[in-house]
Amino acid sequence: MEYKRPFGVRIDENGVIPGAKKLVRRLSDMRGYFYDEKAYEELLKEDPVVYEVYAVEQEEKDGDLNFATTILYPGKVGKEFFFTKGHFHAKADRAEIYYALKGKGGMLLQTPEGEVEWVPMEPGTVVYVPPYWAHRTVNTGDEPFIFLAIYPADAGHDYGSIKEKGFAKLVVEENGEVKLIDNPRW
Ligand code: M6P
Ligand code: ZN
């Protein structure tokens, strides 16, 4: 049998994994995701980077694992905090683990029926994403929110329904506080 080789990598202080595949998501890559369309068009003139992902991925085989860091920048569209697109897994029963490294934020999770959970995250927080739950991370602070995710190599991403309707809750700032409010579009 031909064995794959083990390795170790060090995540640097900015959340970068050396040698990993880099993905950049700008605001223009997220049309339709934020509630306040006017604020979206306004900020689009600057088209800021919303987040970057450094992924170390294996072939999509049962039993193997991928891992990735995400650097989610601070910012808001209107009163809604910057977030990652969010997804179900293409193989919906695949779970995932997140480990917060830097900054402040949280995870929005949602079942296919629209039941929502919010899990606050700070450095050291481990979040268990159970099978079947869609997941999106949100930066509620004013510095980059950086975390590591570990997920089955065959999990895949299913963006479909989240892209259309979003999550049932929006994470917003109101009077200087972080609040979860109903998504009027849901
Ligand atoms: C984490 C993992 C990745 C995911 C990334 C960005 O690093 O869950 O699989 O791609 O976050 O999230 P999204 O794909 O929803 O934009
Ligand atoms: Zn995932």
Side-chain angles (χ1 to χ4, degrees), residues 113-135:
E113 288 78 25
E115 190 193 335
V116 173
E117 289 269 359
W118 169 250
V119 182
M121 295 168 72
E122 58 178 24
T125 305
V126 177
V127 182
Y128 168 61
V129 181
Y132 301 107
W133 287 75
H135 38 291

Side-chain angles (χ1 to χ4, degrees), residues 91-177:
K91 287 203 169 126
D93 66 351
R94 298 310 197 244
E96 185 164 355
I97 294 287
Y98 278 60
Y99 180 58
L101 300 169
K102 268 191 175 180
K104 193 178 147 218
M107 189 188 288
L108 258 186
L109 298 102
Q110 180 165 302
T111 64
E113 288 78 25
E115 190 193 335
V116 173
E117 289 269 359
W118 169 250
V119 182
M121 295 168 72
E122 58 178 24
T125 305
V126 177
V127 182
Y128 168 61
V129 181
Y132 301 107
W133 287 75
H135 38 291
R136 158 183 289 171
T137 43
V138 184
N139 186 342
T140 57
D142 48 22
E143 56 177 320
F145 174 38
I146 303 174
F147 51 86
L148 172 72
I150 303 164
Y151 47 103
D154 65 349
H157 296 85
D158 170 9
Y159 293 100
S161 68
I162 299 296
K163 187 177 194 312
E164 280 158 33
K165 285 173 70 183
F167 283 71
K169 300 276 182 191
L170 307 180
V171 185
V172 299
E173 185 172 63
E174 271 178 8
N175 307 319
E177 280 177 45

